[in-house]
């Protein structure tokens, strides 16, 4: 029972520290939680926050789905074929070390300030991380289980679903959680540089007006949505997929 109350206690302590610092500094650069809550409510009532949040979440879902699908497929392929892995390893190192800002700018320069360029920039930044994570997971697959599947003449599809995928699940979940944290930060930069809507665009406007309360209100909204996704989707999926383990 006490363990269930710990997250609530932690949140209350965080709010108390925030309130204490705001009262001590008495500056517009750190508004109180109550002030941020009022701004949050006003933005929700005006419809601005739900609209821009929805636009950003749509970009997140599309880019995340593309990056995870391609990353899992390529990662499994590289993990299972050493020659391909050796050939593309330098490519992965290069793309992993290209700054996200450079990729975003190049996509906008080459393809224009369009939605597809924004999605492409996010996918290109996230894809190498997914590939590397899944590749490492594929390398740790139990060869005895793969041999057993071959002896029982499993099809490739059946082997993937019943033998490979359950073993890769921890790596997929790791890539998923890190991907959500990384992608939404990249999307904000993408929107700041070349979009006329979304959370990043709004945060840029608030920065120009030194409106810290609005910046924090939008930040709280997005973080809350990501936490909701974690609690209602990712954790239940994680528990269900781990049922086969002893």
């Amino acid at each position: 029972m006490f363990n269930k109350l710990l997250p609530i206690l932690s949140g209350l302590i965080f709010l108390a520290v925030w309130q204490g610092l705001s009262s001590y500094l008495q500056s517009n650069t750190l508004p109180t939680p109550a002030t941020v809550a009022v701004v949050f409510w006003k933005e929700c009532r005006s419809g601005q926050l739900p609209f821009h949040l929805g636009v950003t979440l749509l970009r997140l879902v599309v880019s995340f789905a593309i990056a995870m699908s391609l990353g899992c497929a390529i990662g499994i392929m590289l993990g299972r074929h050493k020659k391909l892995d050796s050939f593309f390893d330098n490519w992965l190192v290069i793309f992993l070390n290209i700054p996200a800002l450079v990729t975003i700018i190049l996509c906008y320069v080459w393809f224009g300030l369009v939605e597809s360029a924004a999605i492409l920039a996010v996918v290109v930044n996230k894809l190498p991380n997914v590939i590397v994570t899944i590749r490492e997971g594929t390398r740790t697959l139990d060869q005895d289980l793969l041999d057993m599947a071959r002896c029982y003449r499993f099809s490739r599809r059946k082997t993937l679903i019943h033998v490979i995928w359950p073993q890769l699940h921890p790596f997929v979940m790791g890539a998923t959680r890190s991907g959500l944290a990384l992608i939404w930060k990249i999307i904000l930069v993408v929107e700041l540089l070349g979009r006329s809507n979304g959370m990043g665009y709004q945060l840029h406007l608030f920065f120009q007006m030194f409106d810290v309360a609005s910046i924090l209100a939008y930040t709280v909204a997005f973080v809350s949505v990501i936490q909701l996704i974690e609690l209602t989707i990712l954790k239940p999926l994680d528990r269900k997929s781990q049922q086969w383990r002893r």
Side-chain angles (χ1 to χ4, degrees), residues 2 23 51 53 58 72 99 107 119 126 133 149 160 163 166 206 238:
F2 180 72
S23 301
F51 169 74
L53 179 60
L58 179 61
C72 287
C107 285
I119 298 297
K126 175 55 186 171
T133 302
L160 175 64
V163 180
F206 297 143
D238 199 17

Side-chain angles (χ1 to χ4, degrees), residues 25-39:
L25 295 175
Q26 293 184 347
S27 171
N28 291 330
T29 57
L30 185 60
T32 64
T35 302
V36 174
V38 170
V39 173

Side-chain angles (χ1 to χ4, degrees), residues 78 84-94 135 139:
L78 295 184
L84 278 176
D85 184 35
S86 298
F87 182 84
F88 287 107
D89 187 59
N90 287 331
W91 291 34
L92 285 175
V93 173
I94 291 171
R135 181 188 66 178
R139 289 173 175 174

Side-chain angles (χ1 to χ4, degrees), residues 11-239:
L12 292 175
I13 292 175
F14 177 80
L15 290 175
V17 172
W18 180 0
Q19 178 66 45
L21 287 174
S22 299
S23 301
Y24 175 76
L25 295 175
Q26 293 184 347
S27 171
N28 291 330
T29 57
L30 185 60
T32 64
T35 302
V36 174
V38 170
V39 173
F40 177 86
W41 177 245
K42 288 181 178 178
E43 289 293 316
C44 286
R45 288 192 62 185
S46 68
Q48 287 295 308
L49 195 152
F51 169 74
H52 292 287
L53 179 60
V55 170
T56 298
L57 286 176
L58 179 61
R59 291 180 181 132
L60 185 147
V61 170
V62 173
S63 56
F64 178 79
I66 295 173
M68 287 299 297
S69 301
L70 290 177
C72 287
I74 297 173
I76 293 174
M77 185 170 59
L78 295 184
R80 298 290 295 161
H81 300 87
K82 292 184 178 180
K83 290 183 179 179
L84 278 176
D85 184 35
S86 298
F87 182 84
F88 287 107
D89 187 59
N90 287 331
W91 291 34
L92 285 175
V93 173
I94 291 171
F95 280 99
L96 281 170
N97 289 281
I98 294 178
L101 184 60
V102 173
T103 306
I104 295 168
I105 292 173
L106 289 177
C107 285
Y108 278 145
V109 170
W110 290 340
F111 305 107
L113 299 176
V114 294
E115 194 67 31
S116 57
I119 298 297
L120 178 63
V122 179
V123 172
V124 170
N125 277 289
K126 175 55 186 171
L127 188 60
N129 299 84
V130 180
I131 293 174
V132 169
T133 302
I134 302 302
R135 181 188 66 178
E136 297 307 312
T138 305
R139 289 173 175 174
T140 65
L141 292 176
D142 191 331
Q143 189 60 42
D144 292 337
L145 293 177
L146 293 172
D147 291 340
M148 181 194 69
R150 192 177 299 110
C151 290
Y152 281 96
R153 297 181 180 179
F154 278 21
S155 64
R156 289 186 177 182
R157 179 177 177 275
K158 195 172 182 179
T159 302
L160 175 64
I161 294 175
H162 297 288
V163 180
I164 295 177
W165 193 253
Q167 297 181 70
L168 285 181
H169 180 79
F171 297 90
V172 174
M173 292 306 298
T176 299
R177 287 192 169 96
S178 63
L180 283 176
L182 177 64
I183 281 182
W184 82 266
K185 296 171 186 176
I186 298 173
I187 287 177
L188 294 185
V189 180
V190 168
E191 292 174 341
L192 186 149
L193 292 176
R195 297 283 79 205
S196 60
N197 51 31
M199 300 285 282
Y201 173 76
Q202 286 295 101
L203 291 174
H204 178 58
L205 294 181
F206 297 143
F207 166 71
Q208 292 178 327
M209 297 183 290
F210 294 96
D211 188 353
V212 178
S214 295
I215 292 174
L216 291 177
Y218 273 66
T219 303
V220 168
F222 203 83
V223 170
S224 299
V225 171
I226 298 299
Q227 286 283 59
L228 186 63
I229 293 173
E230 171 73 19
L231 293 174
T232 60
I233 299 176
L234 297 183
K235 284 190 175 181
L237 281 177
D238 199 17
R239 286 193 297 267

